[in-house]
Amino acid sequence: MNEINIESSWKIKLSDALNNAAFIQLKDFLFKEKAANKIIFPPEQQIFAAFNSIPFEKVKVVILGQDPYHRLFQAHGLCFSVNDGIPLPPSLKNIFKELQQDVPDFTIPESGNLTKWTTRGVLLLNAILTVRTGQAGSHQKLGWEHFTDEVIRELSKQRNHLVFILWGNFAQSKVAFIDPDKHLILKAAHPSPLSAHNGFFGCKHFSMTNNYLIKQGIEPIDWNL
């Protein structure tokens, strides 16, 4: 990862985070992984896909995931999303089930590609942007968390009336970086089959998001894909 391929508005907002010593060290680690022929997901050109899909000023909603899918062809840089033609992962199936219960006109799609959400104002951000094939969590604690903490801080500080959707303990640990007086913070269990019945199902985060946006005079999200 020699050049950072990231949309210009984010590059400006995150210039300090992209140029500090910790991020340079992270880049060096990824370069060594590549040199050692380690397979990394998502593909290098899609590592910053979440940012390249939506400019900083267009964000209305942030959905925070943990790290990318680690199986072949799944990850393409947007949290919870998979490439067209890939079977729906269990967590995404549960997200669609909750949407179907929460949003009356939502139809469960055949594809799990969530790119359309990004064009409508949803930042689909993983806290960790890379993973080694077949090894979930393998790139934790190498610097990505510090970088995405800065993303959340900048959004909280410079924007108003955003919705932050935090599912599970890992995502909820980021709440310290969000100003609750300026933004709506929605917390629930993770949509994984291991925890979805402990508070994710029935959370109604999608309708709550739109109700909040409407109250702020902001166009709501069309969740249909």
Side-chain angles (χ1 to χ4, degrees):
M1 191 175 70
N2 296 320
E3 293 296 324
I4 302 299
N5 176 27
I6 189 169
E7 192 270 340
S8 59
S9 64
W10 290 103
K11 204 164 195 174
I12 293 167
K13 301 294 184 183
L14 300 173
S15 59
D16 289 344
L18 288 166
N19 292 290
N20 65 26
F23 195 80
I24 292 169
Q25 189 173 12
L26 172 62
K27 285 174 60 179
D28 184 57
F29 166 79
L30 292 172
F31 179 81
K32 289 177 180 176
E33 288 276 272
K34 185 177 180 179
N37 295 316
K38 303 296 184 184
I39 299 173
I40 304 300
F41 296 133
E44 184 173 346
Q45 67 273 20
Q46 294 179 325
I47 290 174
F48 294 98
F51 305 97
N52 294 329
S53 298
I54 179 171
F56 183 88
E57 295 297 336
K58 297 292 186 182
V59 175
K60 302 177 184 179
V61 180
V62 180
I63 297 179
L64 186 64
Q66 188 163 347
D67 62 349
Y69 296 120
H70 57 86
R71 302 193 188 282
L72 194 64
F73 304 127
Q74 288 183 310
H76 64 120
L78 307 178
C79 74
F80 294 107
S81 181
V82 291
N83 283 298
D84 292 322
I86 300 300
L88 301 182
S91 291
L92 186 54
K93 284 184 180 179
N94 286 338
I95 290 170
F96 287 161
K97 286 179 184 177
E98 173 60 21
L99 261 164
Q100 191 176 45
Q101 294 298 314
D102 186 25
V103 178
D105 65 348
F106 180 79
T107 301
I108 293 179
E110 292 184 7
S111 174
N113 189 326
L114 306 180
T115 300
K116 287 182 180 178
W117 287 358
T118 70
T119 67
R120 299 164 189 166
V122 183
L123 177 66
L124 295 169
L125 179 66
N126 275 315
I128 301 153
L129 299 189
T130 57
V131 68
R132 189 183 291 175
T133 181
Q135 298 180 39
S138 50
H139 286 180
Q140 289 182 10
K141 299 180 181 179
L142 296 171
W144 279 128
E145 294 93 334
H146 298 298
F147 172 72
T148 52
D149 286 352
E150 286 302 311
V151 173
I152 296 167
R153 278 196 190 96
E154 287 300 308
L155 284 166
S156 177
K157 182 170 64 175
Q158 299 195 35
R159 297 292 312 282
N160 293 306
H161 309 309
L162 299 182
V163 181
F164 290 86
I165 297 178
L166 311 177
W167 295 326
N169 292 335
F170 186 89
Q172 289 167 28
S173 70
K174 307 297 185 184
V175 75
F177 308 120
I178 305 167
D179 184 345
D181 295 325
K182 293 175 63 181
H183 308 287
L184 177 64
I185 303 170
L186 299 176
K187 297 187 286 186
H190 194 275
S192 161
L194 298 175
S195 55
H197 290 281
N198 293 327
F200 175 76
F201 288 132
C203 70
K204 299 187 180 299
H205 280 179
F206 303 99
S207 60
M208 290 172 69
T209 291
N210 279 351
N211 290 339
Y212 175 81
L213 293 175
I214 291 167
K215 285 180 181 178
Q216 304 302 327
I218 301 168
E219 184 179 0
I221 305 299
D222 176 4
W223 296 108
N224 264 305
L225 295 163

